């Protein structure tokens, strides 16, 4: 399937965030999943960019694609782009410091060895990885670090009071306009489940 999709799209940028366990019933193993996902490279443009999660044990084995080194992101300092000094803000996300390593001179000649602080407004370490992937794409497209920081803004218009209410009241309420993102909805459910609270959904209007 990825081979056919790659032929249709002929991508300029390919991003892989992880090799998980979905589709094991068809592909047999995570190695099989890696092989299937790697079909996306078949019709990658000659000057195309590959961006991979360097902390993933399978993706980290991809050293070259069409004789080019992928841009790696993650929490490990071995990556082209990495984050450290993570400070959890609970439901309101994670503060981090993003580094562009000295090995990135080829990919980002004007920015290598730079570092900047950013806030990912959605909770969870997995969202830090998503933020790093997005940062790598932004840098590839020529965005400055200032422009990237400006893009790390909340994806929902929920107030802090609404978010606190969503986590503390019974049942688990969401805004009546239905704008609570799927990922945040699941995060709230997870937090409430860990606290032994009801995980049902209701409606709330604070307008």
């Amino acid at each position: 399937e990825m081979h056919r999709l790659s032929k249709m799209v002929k991508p300029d940028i390919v991003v892989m965030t992880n090799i998980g366990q979905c589709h094991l019933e068809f592909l047999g193993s995570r190695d099989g999943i890696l092989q299937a996902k790697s079909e996306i490279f078949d019709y990658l443009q000659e000057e195309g960019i590959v961006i991979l999660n360097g902390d993933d044990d399978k993706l980290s084995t991809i050293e070259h694609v069409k004789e080019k080194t992928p841009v790696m992101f993650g929490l490990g300092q071995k990556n082209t782009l990495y984050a450290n000094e993570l400070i959890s803000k609970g439901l309101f996300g994670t503060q981090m410091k993003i580094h562009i390593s000295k090995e990135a001179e080829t990919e980002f000649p004007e920015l290598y060895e730079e570092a900047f602080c950013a806030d990912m407004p959605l909770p969870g370490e997995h969202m830090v990885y998503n933020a790093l992937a997005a940062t790598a794409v932004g840098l590839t497209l020529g965005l400055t670090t200032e422009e990237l920081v400006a893009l790390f803004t909340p994806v929902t218009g929920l107030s802090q009071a609404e978010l606190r209410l969503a986590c503390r009241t019974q049942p688990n309420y969401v805004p009546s306009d239905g704008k609570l993102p799927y990922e945040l909805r699941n995060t709230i459910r997870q937090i409430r489940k860990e606290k032994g609270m009801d995980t049902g959904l209701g409606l709330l209007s604070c307008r």
Side-chain angles (χ1 to χ4, degrees):
E1 291 182 5
M2 295 305 298
H3 175 83
R4 293 197 298 270
L5 289 172
S6 181
K7 185 176 182 179
M8 290 169 55
V9 176
K10 297 180 174 59
D12 296 299
I13 300 174
V14 170
V15 180
M16 290 192 192
T17 55
N18 67 81
I19 299 297
Q21 298 183 12
C22 293
H23 315 300
L24 282 176
E25 68 274 23
F26 302 111
L27 300 171
S29 68
R30 291 179 65 230
D31 288 321
I33 295 171
L34 174 64
Q35 181 178 352
K37 284 191 173 184
S38 295
E39 291 178 2
I40 194 71
F41 303 140
D42 293 350
Y43 289 91
L44 177 70
Q45 299 284 351
E46 289 302 318
E47 298 302 316
I49 303 295
V50 175
I51 299 170
L52 305 175
N53 180 350
D55 291 349
D56 184 279
D57 62 324
K58 299 300 182 183
L59 292 176
S60 61
T61 64
I62 301 176
E63 297 182 353
H64 295 92
V65 177
K66 296 192 173 181
E67 301 183 354
K68 294 182 65 176
T69 303
V71 174
M72 295 291 194
F73 65 88
L75 302 184
Q77 294 187 19
K78 67 183 185 298
N79 294 297
T80 317
L81 197 73
Y82 66 92
N84 63 9
E85 300 181 23
L86 273 59
I87 300 175
S88 174
K89 298 163 65 177
L91 189 61
F92 302 102
T94 304
Q95 179 181 320
M96 72 191 88
K97 191 170 187 177
I98 298 176
H99 299 260
I100 305 167
S101 73
K102 61 182 181 180
E103 285 76 21
E105 184 174 3
T106 301
E107 294 87 354
F108 313 120
E110 298 180 0
L111 294 172
Y112 74 99
E113 291 194 288
E114 277 202 25
F116 59 97
C117 294
D119 285 313
M120 162 47 70
L122 295 178
E125 187 176 275
H126 65 291
M127 295 307 301
V128 173
Y129 280 96
N130 289 341
L132 288 169
T135 297
V137 172
L139 292 174
T140 297
L141 296 175
L143 295 183
T144 66
T145 55
E146 291 80 9
E147 289 171 326
L148 286 166
V149 170
L151 292 174
F152 281 92
T153 55
V155 296
T156 172
L158 291 175
S159 69
Q160 291 195 1
E162 287 176 308
L163 284 171
R164 290 193 186 99
L165 187 60
C167 280
R168 294 178 182 175
T169 59
Q170 299 282 346
N172 183 9
Y173 290 101
V174 300
S176 58
D177 57 13
K179 290 184 178 179
L180 189 64
Y182 172 80
E183 295 86 354
L184 191 52
R185 183 190 301 258
N186 282 348
T187 299
I188 292 173
R189 279 176 168 158
Q190 181 178 353
I191 292 173
R192 290 173 59 83
K193 183 177 181 181
E194 290 175 355
K195 292 183 177 182
M197 301 173 71
D198 185 88
T199 57
L201 289 175
L203 294 176
L204 169 70
S205 176
C206 292
R207 302 295 184 266

